[in-house]
């Protein structure tokens, strides 16, 4: 995994924090942490999209954030477990992983990445 994909992965993980913060923040410090997470997350995505295909970066970023947010809500905040949600998250992650693999293959062949 090169540095730019690491930025996307970390930015996606931080997205989980700020999306949860948008729902659960209740004081100035929690809102400040949420705002800081938004800035950091988007900073990483902007840095990664300068070197990687922006469509793939955005799909991977939002896929990580979406899957992580749903799982975090179920595991930490008591949202009801739904098999349909878990299966759909699995489908989403298959698409994200497929996009990442296709992008890596194009880069290896000398294509624009």
């Amino acid at each position: 995994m090169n540095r730019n994909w690491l930025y996307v992965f970390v930015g996606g993980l931080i997205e989980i924090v700020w999306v949860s913060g948008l729902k659960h923040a209740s004081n100035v410090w929690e809102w400040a942490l949420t705002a800081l997470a938004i800035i950091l997350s988007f900073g990483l995505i902007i840095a990664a999209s300068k070197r990687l295909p922006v469509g793939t970066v955005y799909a991977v970023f939002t896929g990580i954030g979406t899957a992580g947010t749903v799982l975090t809500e179920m595991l930490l905040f008591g949202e009801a477990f739904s098999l349909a949600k878990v299966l759909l998250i699995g489908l989403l992650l298959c698409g994200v992983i497929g996009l990442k693999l296709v992008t890596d293959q194009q880069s290896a062949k000398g294509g624009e990445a």
Side-chain angles (χ1 to χ4, degrees):
M1 177 182 296
N2 71 30
R3 182 178 51 174
N4 295 309
W5 283 114
L6 183 62
Y7 288 171
V8 175
F9 182 73
V10 173
L13 292 178
I14 295 171
E15 182 188 20
I16 298 166
V17 172
W18 68 257
V19 170
S20 295
L22 291 176
K23 180 177 180 180
H24 299 287
S26 60
N27 61 49
V28 172
W29 294 110
E30 291 172 351
W31 281 110
L33 182 62
T34 300
L36 181 64
I38 291 170
I39 292 168
L40 184 58
S41 177
F42 279 93
L44 289 169
I45 295 308
I46 290 168
S49 64
K50 289 180 180 176
R51 302 248 180 207
L52 297 172
V54 69
T56 306
V57 166
Y58 186 67
V60 172
F61 170 71
T62 57
I64 292 170
T66 302
T69 301
V70 170
L71 292 176
T72 300
E73 287 292 314
M74 285 183 191
L75 296 174
L76 299 180
F77 297 108
E79 184 174 313
F81 175 81
S82 168
L83 181 60
K85 280 185 181 179
V86 172
L87 291 174
L88 290 169
I89 288 170
L91 184 62
L92 174 70
L93 291 177
C94 285
V96 167
I97 291 167
L99 276 173
K100 167 78 171 69
L101 292 174
V102 168
T103 301
D104 285 346
Q105 288 174 355
Q106 288 174 344
S107 296
K109 291 178 182 176
E112 184 70 24

